[in-house]
Amino acid sequence: MALPASEGRQARYSRGHRQSRLLLLTVAAWLFYLARPASFVGGTPAQHPVSQRSAVVLSAEADKGGRTDEDRLEFMNSPVGQVVGAVASALSTGPLNEGKIWLAKTMAGDYDEAAVSAKLESYISENPAVVFSFSTCPFCIKAKRELDDLGVKYLAVELDQMGDEGKQIRAELAKKTQRTSMPNIFIGGEGVGGCNDGPGIMTLKSKGELVPMLESAGAMDERQAQEPRI
């Protein structure tokens, strides 16, 4: 049975209010992360195998505030980081996602959409695996580390270090995948979402589907799949 008009408006207002609170919580958490001193996070950097990734732009290990990739991963695994991840995942499937896509297109400004779309498709079709990334995003760092640990051959496209072109590629990615958050990962030309969502490579790994998909795409050979990388 249809709700009276007044109740329908109230229900829509309540949903919008919840979405707004989630967005504010996400922004507040990120501001907390960016404002804190680098010494807030301790720990000894982990050792990782030599990467087989190639990159359009190589990411810097530390930003101007002294934060390293290890700091960012520590934040992602903290309670605040877990909240940020959950909220971001919820927003990616809600009504506000359309607003995020509109914002990505607005930030890109006027550009040759056909040319940028062709470049995007070439990245995807000419590489067995591609990670579209923000170099300082903890979820991007985790996804790339996971692929590095598996010995995967992939291309990392660091959009935040590509100036206007990076914004334009992000806008085309949003049109193609309905996702504006990074990472945005493709394996064998197929979009698999991000780190933990869409379904995400960690979800695929937990189901035992990631390695077979990577092997099928030619991103890793049988020996790499069988031998653990330390």
Side-chain angles (χ1 to χ4, degrees):
M1 185 175 67
L3 291 172
S6 60
E7 292 185 20
R9 285 194 299 271
Q10 184 176 0
R12 288 193 297 271
Y13 172 80
S14 297
R15 286 195 298 270
H17 189 58
R18 287 195 297 270
Q19 291 277 341
S20 297
R21 284 187 294 179
L22 286 173
L23 180 59
L24 288 173
L25 181 60
T26 303
V27 171
W30 275 112
L31 288 175
F32 165 78
Y33 168 66
L34 293 172
R36 67 183 173 80
S39 58
F40 182 85
V41 176
T44 301
Q47 298 300 314
H48 297 275
V50 175
S51 169
Q52 294 203 61
R53 82 173 76 157
S54 56
V56 175
V57 178
L58 292 174
S59 59
E61 175 65 16
D63 60 21
K64 292 180 180 178
R67 281 174 286 268
T68 67
D69 285 355
E70 301 302 330
D71 294 335
R72 298 175 187 115
L73 289 173
E74 188 78 14
F75 169 76
M76 186 188 72
N77 293 323
S78 71
V80 175
Q82 294 293 318
V83 170
V84 169
V87 171
S89 179
L91 290 175
S92 68
T93 58
L96 285 180
N97 191 51
E98 290 301 319
K100 291 169 62 182
I101 293 172
W102 172 85
L103 181 60
K105 294 178 180 177
T106 301
M107 292 175 64
D110 294 328
Y111 62 94
D112 187 336
E113 295 184 18
V116 175
S117 178
K119 175 169 279 193
L120 170 64
E121 294 300 335
S122 71
Y123 284 146
I124 294 170
S125 63
E126 295 173 7
N127 295 280
V130 185
V131 179
F132 294 96
S133 167
F134 291 153
S135 60
T136 59
C137 164
F139 297 96
C140 298
I141 294 167
K142 180 174 176 60
K144 289 180 287 188
R145 286 280 178 87
E146 183 64 34
L147 296 178
D148 290 343
D149 288 347
L150 290 171
V152 176
K153 296 173 289 186
Y154 69 97
L155 176 70
V157 184
E158 304 293 353
L159 298 180
D160 60 320
Q161 296 189 9
M162 297 174 67
D164 289 341
E165 184 181 19
K167 296 174 184 176
Q168 295 162 8
I169 292 173
R170 185 190 183 201
E172 290 300 310
L173 270 173
K175 287 164 57 176
K176 181 179 179 68
T177 66
Q178 296 297 298
R179 291 176 57 89
T180 60
S181 60
M182 299 300 143
N184 202 331
I185 304 171
F186 290 80
I187 299 175
E190 178 183 349
V192 297
C195 183
N196 302 315
D197 66 308
I201 62 169
M202 300 310 295
T203 303
L204 292 172
K205 179 184 177 182
S206 69
K207 294 181 178 181
E209 299 174 3
L210 179 60
V211 168
M213 182 177 288
L214 290 165
E215 287 182 304
S216 178
M220 60 189 302
D221 59 33
E222 185 177 352
R223 180 182 60 82
Q224 289 171 320
Q226 292 176 349
E227 294 181 0
R229 293 177 63 86
I230 301 174

